[in-house]
């Protein structure tokens, strides 16, 4: 991740500012931002064939705007071409790019032989820019998990440049209801009630009835849902609706974000997917969250942290777009673990109290142990406690341990402690102590870095730079919070 300072003046993107405060809708902001993108392209020295496509805008209280753009070259999407422009008082003050590579002069003429079902793109993700084919293969794996396999192939040489699955899967099995008796917002339609939340973007819950597809919206005659066990299919619907509501509330109340895409639109949740399916997953393509029923179709994966983890993949996609491979994939997974945990704390549910354990309620391995541990990730037998040069070669669910460990240390510090009845003992790579700054500050720093500093190609070293910049923005470069971020990264061997 590269960050530079610019001394260029341009018009303030007033519609984007209004959208960030909720005065204008996202479409109006995008239209205005698109209208100014040419000015920004010129200011950044982009070539004539390059165009910026607005994706997101974050507005600070002091009027600073962080404008996130994707890039095209002669109409072709540039993979790894995204950037974030910082603007204050009509002046461009900085830019963070996924790549500094120059696109000018690249031949984007379509090859003589087209690849069936493929899209021509410019590939510049950790690679010198080349013309490439992107294919997306939709399938269903043996364990019933859908697959959206993206493969990028050099259009000239046929070399495979990158391949990753864009279905973000939580590993797990579950047990029925986790959150006890809860209040739900529903929608009345005639004499029936729908499991659709009008207060949170009409996010709804559908019943797949152990099939696939879209399913049917849950309805009920008396607005009393489920019985707390798998024998009533509405029970999993209650948990899914509650988890979605708590995730919405967390992002809204803590980060000022209105829904996953920050546009006030709620996502669809679907329960009872497949047969004995022991997983849950988020898919951008349907803007939906899907839960299996687990072993014997009796153990749905509908705990709060699983719901927030999966839907946070959608937030990452709408902001930094961290590619789900290598170190950026580990940061993508860690972001979901981090916000899965912080959402659970924010929910304040006594039946599922907040902790730094991931999937502790769903008993994924049948031994009562969590899926992942943030204080010492290696306790699961596979996750990384510390960064090394081989971290990018590890499965993203396990390389995520580095950032999970960082976040725990930043929040709570090292050593032994008990929080909400859970005992933790977090080590450091250098055996030196870390003093935490509290979860409330740590989560703000990570969210700001995600939404204003990280790009699709961000790796651990760049994540350190981005979170330090976020801490400086929020608390000052000479603050104890800034120093704590620096120390916590050093404690997990990212320097």
């Amino acid at each position: 991740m590269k960050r530079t300072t610019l001394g260029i003046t341009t018009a303030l993107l007033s519609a984007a500012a209004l959208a960030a405060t909720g005065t204008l809708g996202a479409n109006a902001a995008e239209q205005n931002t698109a209208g100014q993108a040419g000015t920004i392209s010129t200011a950044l020295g982009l070539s004539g064939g390059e165009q910026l496509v607005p994706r997101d805008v974050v507005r600070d209280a002091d009027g600073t705007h962080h404008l996130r753009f994707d890039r095209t070259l002669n109409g072709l999407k540039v993979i790894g071409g995204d950037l974030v422009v910082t603007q204050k008082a009509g002046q461009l003050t900085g830019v963070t790019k996924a790549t500094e590579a120059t696109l000018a002069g690249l031949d984007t003429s379509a090859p003589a032989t087209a690849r069936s079902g493929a899209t021509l793109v410019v590939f510049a993700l950790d690679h010198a820019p080349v013309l490439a084919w992107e294919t997306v293969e939709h399938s269903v794996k043996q364990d019933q998990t859908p697959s959206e396999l993206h493969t990028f192939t050099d259009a000239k040489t046929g070399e495979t440049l990158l391949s990753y699955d864009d279905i973000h899967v939580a590993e797990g099995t579950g047990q029925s209801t986790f959150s006890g008796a809860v209040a739900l917002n529903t929608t009345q339609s005639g004499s029936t009630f729908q499991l659709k939340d009008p207060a949170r973007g009409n996010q709804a819950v559908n019943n797949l009835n152990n099939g696939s597809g879209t399913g049917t919206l849950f309805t009920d005659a008396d607005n009393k849902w489920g019985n707390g066990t798998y024998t009533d299919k509405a029970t999993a619907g209650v948990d899914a609706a509650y988890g979605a509501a708590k995730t919405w509330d967390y992002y809204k109340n803590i980060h000022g974000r209105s829904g996953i895409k920050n546009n006030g639109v709620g996502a669809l949740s679907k329960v009872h997917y497949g047969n004995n399916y022991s997983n849950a997953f988020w898919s951008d393509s349907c803007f939906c969250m899907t839960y299996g029923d687990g072993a014997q179709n009796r153990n749905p994966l509908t705990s709060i942290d699983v719901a927030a983890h999966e839907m946070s993949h959608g937030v990452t996609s709408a902001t930094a777009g961290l590619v789900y491979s290598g170190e950026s994939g580990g940061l993508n997974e860690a972001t979901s673990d981090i916000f899965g945990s912080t959402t659970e704390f924010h929910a304040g549910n006594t039946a599922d109290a907040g902790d730094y354990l991931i999937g502790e309620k769903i008993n994924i391995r049948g031994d009562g142990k969590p899926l992942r541990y943030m204080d010492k990730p290696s306790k699961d037998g596979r996750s990384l406690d510390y960064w090394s040069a081989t971290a990018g070669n590890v499965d993203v669910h396990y390389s995520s341990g580095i950032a999970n460990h960082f976040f725990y240390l930043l929040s709570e510090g090292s050593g032994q402690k008990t929080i909400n009845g859970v005992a933790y003992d977090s080590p450091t790579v250098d055996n030196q102590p870390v003093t935490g700054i509290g979860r409330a500050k740590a989560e703000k720093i990570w969210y700001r870095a995600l939404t204003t500093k990280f790009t699709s190609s961000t790796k651990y070293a760049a994540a350190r730079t981005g979170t330090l910049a976020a801490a400086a923005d929020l608390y000052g470069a000479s603050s104890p919070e800034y120093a704590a971020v620096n120390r916590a990264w050093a404690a997990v061997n990212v320097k």
Side-chain angles (χ1 to χ4, degrees):
M1 182 173 66
K2 318 295 193 301
R3 187 171 179 83
T4 58
T5 301
L6 306 172
I8 306 164
T9 301
T10 188
L12 182 66
L13 303 183
S14 56
L18 291 171
T21 58
T23 307
L24 279 182
N27 289 340
E30 286 196 4
Q31 290 171 7
N32 182 269
T33 306
Q36 300 288 340
T39 302
I40 295 175
S41 297
T42 301
L44 298 181
L46 304 184
S47 65
E50 296 178 63
Q51 297 292 323
L52 296 179
V53 181
R55 174 145 56 96
D56 190 41
V57 59
V58 174
R59 182 184 186 277
D60 296 344
D62 67 356
T64 300
H65 295 79
H66 306 272
L67 309 164
R68 185 178 294 275
F69 297 93
D70 290 321
R71 199 181 336 177
T72 64
L73 177 64
N74 299 329
L76 303 181
K77 184 174 181 179
V78 180
I79 307 301
D82 51 302
L83 54 89
V84 182
V85 173
T86 303
Q87 181 188 55
K88 185 175 182 181
Q91 186 177 54
L92 293 177
T93 58
V95 58
T96 302
K97 298 179 181 179
T99 179
E100 289 286 355
T102 300
L103 301 180
L106 181 67
D107 183 6
T108 58
S109 303
T113 303
R115 178 164 292 197
S116 178
T119 302
L120 200 59
V121 299
V122 173
F123 188 88
L125 188 70
D126 297 326
H127 193 282
V130 294
L131 201 62
W133 292 107
E134 178 185 10
T135 58
V136 183
E137 181 181 355
H138 296 267
S139 62
V140 179
K141 298 177 183 177
Q142 188 173 359
D143 70 349
Q144 304 176 69
T145 303
S147 174
E148 294 177 8
L149 186 64
H150 293 247
T151 301
F152 298 90
T153 306
D154 190 308
K156 182 177 181 181
T157 68
E159 174 192 1
T160 297
L161 303 170
L162 176 68
S163 183
Y164 67 90
D165 198 326
D166 208 29
I167 290 289
H168 308 295
V169 180
E171 308 160 356
T173 59
Q175 307 191 14
S176 61
T177 300
F178 303 100
S179 301
V182 297
L184 297 174
N185 284 330
T186 60
T187 298
Q188 187 169 4
S189 177
S191 60
T192 64
F193 295 88
Q194 301 171 336
L195 200 50
K196 182 167 65 175
D197 190 341
R200 298 177 177 89
N202 283 319
Q203 55 190 21
V205 183
N206 283 11
N207 180 12
L208 295 178
N209 201 29
N210 298 114
S212 58
T214 302
T216 57
L217 180 65
F218 275 101
T219 60
D220 188 85
D222 61 4
N223 212 17
K224 296 179 181 179
W225 306 82
N227 66 2
T229 77
Y230 72 90
T231 61
D232 186 338
K233 286 190 176 294
T235 298
V238 169
D239 288 336
Y242 182 71
K246 295 298 105 177
T247 303
W248 178 287
D249 292 350
Y250 170 74
Y251 279 106
K252 182 70 172 178
N253 297 338
I254 301 301
H255 302 298
R257 188 175 190 86
S258 182
I260 288 171
K261 288 188 176 180
N262 201 25
N263 61 0
V265 176
L268 173 66
S269 295
K270 300 187 289 187
V271 297
H272 304 303
Y273 169 79
N275 186 38
N276 300 321
Y277 180 66
S278 297
N279 255 319
F281 56 89
W282 167 265
S283 175
D284 282 328
S285 62
C286 65
F287 197 60
C288 67
M289 175 68 214
T290 303
Y291 302 88
D293 279 341
Q296 285 109 34
N297 290 327
R298 296 182 177 185
N299 301 286
L301 280 80
T302 48
S303 63
I304 298 170
D305 57 353
V306 170
H309 172 107
E310 295 302 336
M311 286 183 278
S312 291
H313 280 304
V315 174
T316 296
S317 177
T319 56
L322 291 161
V323 170
Y324 206 60
S325 176
E327 290 191 22
S328 61
L331 288 164
N332 189 319
E333 269 297 307
T335 295
S336 285
D337 280 352
I338 287 166
F339 292 136
S341 176
T342 57
T343 297
E344 189 179 73
F345 274 106
H346 183 260
N349 186 290
T350 56
D352 188 4
D355 51 51
Y356 293 98
L357 309 174
I358 305 301
E360 75 283 354
K361 286 288 185 180
I362 60 176
N363 192 19
I364 186 172
R365 300 184 182 95
D367 56 7
K369 296 180 179 179
L371 171 60
R372 285 187 287 277
Y373 304 79
M374 298 180 76
D375 65 319
K376 188 178 180 182
S378 61
K379 286 171 68 176
D380 67 10
R382 290 176 282 190
S383 291
L384 304 181
D385 289 335
Y386 311 116
W387 183 87
S388 72
T390 61
N393 301 327
V394 176
D395 183 285
V396 297
H397 292 91
Y398 309 132
S399 63
S400 63
I402 302 162
N404 283 345
H405 194 189
F406 159 81
F407 185 81
Y408 175 87
L409 288 168
L410 182 62
S411 299
E412 306 294 347
S414 57
Q416 297 180 350
K417 53 183 54 68
T418 300
I419 304 166
N420 281 352
V422 179
Y424 302 97
D425 189 0
S426 192
T428 61
V429 71
D430 52 13
N431 295 316
Q432 297 300 307
V434 174
T435 300
I437 61 174
R439 187 177 58 257
K441 291 180 178 179
E443 64 190 349
K444 291 279 192 180
I445 290 170
W446 193 267
Y447 179 81
R448 183 169 181 84
L450 177 75
T451 56
T452 69
K453 317 298 181 186
F454 293 176
T455 67
S456 58
S457 65
T458 295
K459 297 179 178 61
Y460 273 105
R464 174 184 176 275
T465 301
T467 50
L468 283 169
D473 290 348
L474 293 171
Y475 305 108
S478 300
S479 66
E481 291 82 3
Y482 184 96
V485 170
N486 194 40
R487 173 67 195 118
W489 278 123
V492 296
N493 205 36
V494 179
K495 302 175 183 178

